[in-house]
Amino acid sequence: QVQLVESGGGLVQAGASLRLSCAASGFSFGAYAAGWFRQAPGKEREFVAAISWGNGESLYYADLVKGRFTISRDNSKMTVLLQMNSLNVEDTAVYYCAAGRASALWYRNYGRESSYDFWGQGTQVTVSS
């Protein structure tokens, strides 16, 4: 059974840090790219960060989080991490982990939800001012 389970969300003050974790199971994790998306209240889900399959040498970030967030993966633990620093109120959202099959097209479409095959249920991140 394929599963992606996010954890690490919570309520923090502006300027704080959080580290989100996504535990994968039921598929060949190393052969899948991974991404984080988020959805704020009343808004559409948006791309946050992505990492390529295998050794994860290719990293991509949305402009809004570049320099503050860092995505990484540990294939031995089948885990994707999102380190979030200098959080602000605009980062408040439900954060979703996703996994997509390795393909050349992924490099051009890593920011699209359709590039991902599996999704987690999400974890809430709330940043107070």
Side-chain angles (χ1 to χ4, degrees):
Q1 181 182 2
V2 172
Q3 275 194 314
L4 290 173
V5 180
E6 303 95 335
S7 61
L11 171 63
V12 296
Q13 289 190 326
S17 298
L18 276 177
R19 188 176 76 166
L20 304 184
S21 180
C22 173
S25 61
F27 63 101
S28 300
F29 178 72
Y32 280 69
W36 286 94
F37 289 74
R38 68 185 183 186
Q39 187 168 20
K43 295 186 177 181
E44 293 187 351
R45 190 154 57 183
E46 64 178 3
F47 168 74
V48 175
I51 186 168
S52 58
W53 54 89
N55 61 11
E57 63 182 9
S58 296
L59 308 176
Y60 304 95
Y61 298 95
D63 289 342
L64 287 175
V65 307
K66 201 170 294 184
R68 300 188 298 122
F69 291 11
T70 302
I71 188 171
S72 62
R73 66 188 296 156
D74 184 338
N75 291 337
S76 67
K77 297 180 179 179
M78 297 183 66
T79 300
V80 181
L81 301 175
L82 184 67
Q83 177 67 41
M84 307 186 295
N85 299 328
S86 303
L87 286 163
N88 56 58
V89 174
E90 290 71 32
D91 294 317
T92 295
V94 177
Y95 283 71
Y96 298 90
C97 173
R101 290 183 186 88
S103 75
L105 285 177
W106 180 85
Y107 285 102
R108 287 188 287 172
N109 300 293
Y110 57 81
R112 296 185 179 181
E113 293 185 37
S114 59
S115 295
Y116 298 87
D117 303 287
F118 309 131
W119 291 82
Q121 293 299 307
T123 185
Q124 176 71 48
V125 172
T126 304
V127 184
S128 64
S129 58

